[in-house]
Amino acid sequence: MSSLEKEAADTETYAPIIEPEVANLLSVLIKITKPKRILELGTAIGYSSIVMARAMGDGEIITVERYAVAYERAIANIKRAGLSHIIKPVLEEATSVLNWLDPPFDMIFMDAAKGQYMDFLPDCLRLLKKGGILISDDVLYKGEVTDAVSTEKRKVTLVNRLNKYLEHISDTEGLATTVLPIGNGVAISLKE
């Protein structure tokens, strides 16, 4: 277990990070597609940014985090990893950042507020280049999206929003989408 994985798992400093199989998927996709510009929504402690930057080798990753404590931890982790020249953290709400970013991005990794994926989508598609890949993490929300009958009442709205999001990206003309049941579910969409 890496020091970042230990930091994320620590009960005092817990932070959500991507599952190991999702980290591996990101690395493989980046090595295959060779993106030069990646946008990440949901930095947390910088773990996925670091995974992507190491696979990328050279380029730019803009990563957006709305919580100051997580943002500060991410900056320290990115600096410690020696990747500040590639990864550019932004402390701001994703909806605000999406309004002022300039296209194009070769890849966008969404791992922010799951219930807002539909809100993020129009700007993400505007920012994503033709032939670019949109990766949406946690779309099966611990299996509850596929098993909505057993969903706790307090999570019904989130599950319904994720179902709507998955239906939308699967039916949107100009997007080719597949959903993989790894981690908590990953949707990969190619902008045709």
Side-chain angles (χ1 to χ4, degrees):
M1 183 181 283
S2 76
S3 62
L4 269 179
E5 291 166 328
K6 286 177 186 171
E7 176 185 343
D10 185 286
T11 54
E12 303 245 338
T13 59
Y14 172 77
I17 62 171
I18 56 176
E19 300 289 332
E21 59 269 26
V22 175
N24 190 50
L25 175 66
L26 283 175
S27 292
V28 169
L29 285 173
I30 288 169
K31 289 175 183 178
I32 291 170
T33 61
K34 300 179 181 4
K36 290 295 175 199
R37 196 162 184 240
I38 297 174
L39 171 62
E40 176 185 40
L41 302 179
T43 311
I45 61 170
Y47 180 77
S48 49
S49 299
I50 291 168
V51 166
M52 292 188 291
R54 287 181 175 154
M56 187 182 208
D58 189 31
E60 175 187 48
I61 297 174
I62 296 174
T63 183
V64 182
E65 177 56 52
R66 68 179 174 173
Y67 296 113
V69 172
Y71 171 81
E72 294 299 330
R73 288 171 64 190
I75 287 176
N77 289 327
I78 291 163
K79 185 176 182 179
R80 193 171 22 261
L83 294 167
S84 299
H85 63 290
I86 294 174
I87 305 169
K88 311 297 182 215
V90 175
L91 177 61
E92 198 169 333
E93 289 284 339
T95 49
S96 299
V97 173
L98 289 170
N99 287 322
W100 58 257
L101 283 173
D102 291 323
F105 284 90
D106 304 303
M107 182 179 283
I108 297 175
F109 180 54
M110 263 202 290
D111 193 20
K114 313 312 171 217
Q116 293 183 0
Y117 279 11
M118 278 295 289
D119 298 332
F120 301 151
L121 186 61
D123 281 317
C124 285
L125 293 179
R126 176 185 59 79
L127 293 168
L128 190 63
K129 77 173 192 175
K130 187 175 181 178
I133 297 174
L134 171 64
I135 303 164
S136 309
D137 197 24
D138 300 321
V139 293
L140 298 180
Y141 193 67
K142 303 173 187 173
E144 293 189 37
V145 171
T146 56
D147 187 20
V149 174
S150 67
T151 301
E152 294 177 34
K153 189 173 183 175
R154 65 185 178 86
K155 297 178 185 171
V156 169
T157 300
L158 175 61
V159 168
N160 287 339
R161 286 180 181 173
L162 284 170
N163 273 321
K164 181 179 176 185
Y165 176 75
L166 287 173
E167 184 178 306
H168 185 76
I169 61 174
S170 296
D171 294 341
T172 296
E173 190 173 324
L175 277 186
T177 298
T178 190
V179 179
L180 303 175
I182 63 170
N184 287 314
V186 177
I188 302 172
S189 303
L190 173 69
K191 184 176 177 181
E192 300 178 307

